[in-house]
Amino acid sequence: MAKTVTVEEYVAASAGVQLAEVFGAIAGAAREIEWKIRLAGLSDVYGAFGAVNVQGEQQQKLDVFANDLLTQTLGALPQVAAIVSEEDEGPVVFDRKGGTDGDAKFVVIFDPLDGSSNIDVNVNVGTIFSVVRLHGDVVASVLKPGTEQVAAGYVLYGPAAVLVITTGSGVAAFTLDEDGKFLLTAEAMKMPEQGPYYSANEANAASWPAAYREYLLGLLRGELGGNAYSARYIGSLVADFHRTLLKGGVFLYPHTDKAPQGKLRLLYEANPLAMIAEQADGAAVNGATRILEVQAERIHQRTPLVIGSRREVEALQKAVQKAALKDAGEAK
Ligand code: AHM
Ligand code: MG
């Protein structure tokens, strides 16, 4: 039986009212996004919007809906100074002339609807977000290592809509009930130390760095111990991560010929999920380096991402570090 604690109440008790209102706004927008997705087939909101976003990707109608709604909802809160979205070229800074200086203190960074290729086919999509503190300039405030995040979370729109959050002291999950409230359904969530699944787009394997291919073969040969691995890949990061959080294992998206810097975005995909993974005793690296220690240089910066159970992620990190040492030795 779910405890009747809403996400706003939960965050207010653990991290204060200002941040709770930010989560309340995101939960409110997520409820409407969930509704729109559920009824998309009936209301002509599938398909392309007709514009290309800053990443050069076709925007879907639902991408635009989710982005506008999150921007509006968060923009109504005096403590939110600005938002940075996957769908916008630069930050949207809110006019705070009416407020006092102390009012605006957070910047919310988000991917409004992750997993665009799955929108039209009724497969899981998600919203991912990260909250950082405003220190002077908005861009400078977001171009910080992920260790500076105040809070992070995601919403998975699936058979149930689930909101998973951290404010830096553990991970909790909330499930959308029929009255539109996200109610606490799990707290102090921990990722298994090792898991049964690996998750990767293996169609790209020929252009992965060799260390990743060898690592995967090693997993399949049982070199890491544990039970035999099984493959799972949905192609929506939120859904692939959510399974990894609950069941354990590893998700990997290395750089490829098509995406030489990696495909996923550091600020609004990798960082928030890395914070959640670490808070749940999992790990996240870009190959050799912990994701949360990467210094961001651009707001839409991409990164390779390996995230999941500690044992699998650490083994990959060691393999990549070893390969880099070997390459450096050979180059001398
Ligand atoms: P998007 O932000 O345009 O939806 O792209 C990100 C998505 C992730 O959800 C997912 O992990 C990845 O792209 C899948 O990429 P691929 O189709 O190359 O396997
Ligand atoms: Mg995305």
Side-chain angles (χ1 to χ4, degrees):
M1 193 41 193
K3 292 185 227 163
T4 49
V5 177
T6 65
V7 64
E8 294 92 320
E9 288 162 350
Y10 186 87
V11 177
S14 57
V17 173
Q18 294 253 309
L19 200 56
E21 286 173 359
V22 174
F23 276 90
I26 293 170
R31 180 184 58 216
E32 291 195 35
I33 295 168
E34 191 275 339
W35 194 57
K36 196 83 169 175
I37 291 169
R38 193 151 36 88
L39 301 180
L42 298 172
S43 52
D44 189 35
V45 284
Y46 279 141
F49 177 70
V52 168
N53 70 9
V54 57
Q55 330 274 340
E57 298 156 349
Q58 271 287 342
Q59 284 183 313
Q60 304 295 303
K61 288 180 198 163
L62 279 168
D63 282 330
V64 175
F65 174 81
N67 192 42
D68 290 351
L69 185 63
L70 279 161
T71 306
Q72 253 172 40
T73 316
L74 288 164
L77 290 179
Q79 64 270 49
V80 177
I83 61 101
V84 169
S85 163
E86 174 179 0
E87 299 300 330
D88 302 321
E89 189 161 357
V92 177
V93 181
F94 301 115
D95 180 5
R96 295 295 179 223
K97 284 198 194 83
T100 62
D101 280 348
D103 275 349
K105 43 163 85 154
F106 298 121
V107 181
V108 185
I109 312 168
F110 56 80
D111 179 350
L113 206 60
D114 180 61
S116 344
S117 68
N118 281 324
I119 292 178
D120 286 357
V121 292
N122 195 19
V123 170
N124 303 140
V125 288
T127 295
I128 315 175
F129 60 93
S130 159
V131 184
V132 298
R133 240 171 246 292
L134 178 75
H135 288 297
D137 178 64
V138 171
V139 173
S141 302
V142 302
L143 295 184
K144 293 266 172 63
T147 45
E148 297 290 312
Q149 294 171 103
V150 175
Y154 63 82
V155 186
L156 171 63
Y157 308 102
V162 180
L163 168 61
V164 176
I165 66 156
T166 182
T167 56
S169 49
V171 178
F174 302 81
T175 304
L176 187 63
D177 78 350
E178 63 265 288
D179 297 327
K181 290 192 187 120
F182 278 95
L183 299 180
L184 182 66
T185 41
E187 54 187 330
M189 296 171 80
K190 294 294 173 207
M191 210 181 268
E193 203 187 333
Q194 182 169 7
Y197 300 122
Y198 73 92
S199 185
N201 186 342
E202 282 177 277
N204 297 324
S207 75
W208 290 352
Y212 284 81
R213 281 198 301 272
E214 283 154 26
Y215 165 80
L216 194 53
L217 279 175
L219 281 191
L220 300 183
R221 285 191 202 110
E223 287 167 15
L224 213 59
N227 293 325
Y229 281 89
S230 223
R232 292 284 189 279
Y233 191 70
I234 295 167
S236 285
L237 180 61
V238 170
D240 282 314
F241 176 77
H242 190 67
R243 181 198 55 251
T244 308
L245 174 67
L246 297 182
K247 302 287 184 191
V250 62
F251 169 90
L252 39 131
Y253 207 117
H255 61 77
T256 63
D257 288 348
K258 255 193 297 181
Q261 311 300 322
K263 179 177 182 193
L264 301 169
R265 275 47 69 105
L266 179 62
L267 293 187
Y268 40 83
E269 294 179 326
N271 270 347
L273 299 186
M275 183 176 181
I276 292 170
E278 288 198 4
Q279 286 289 323
D281 290 349
V285 297
N286 69 0
T289 305
R290 180 183 172 213
I291 285 285
L292 295 182
E293 286 175 11
V294 175
Q295 171 61 54
E297 280 160 17
R298 294 178 310 283
I299 61 179
H300 297 296
Q301 178 169 337
R302 293 177 190 265
T303 178
L305 176 65
V306 178
I307 191 164
S309 292
R310 188 156 287 280
R311 190 162 303 163
E312 283 91 339
V313 175
E314 283 175 355
L316 177 281
Q317 186 179 22
K318 279 197 194 109
V320 170
Q321 286 168 344
K322 200 167 141 202
L325 281 175
K326 191 166 161 250
D327 289 350
E330 279 166 11
K332 273 188 194 155

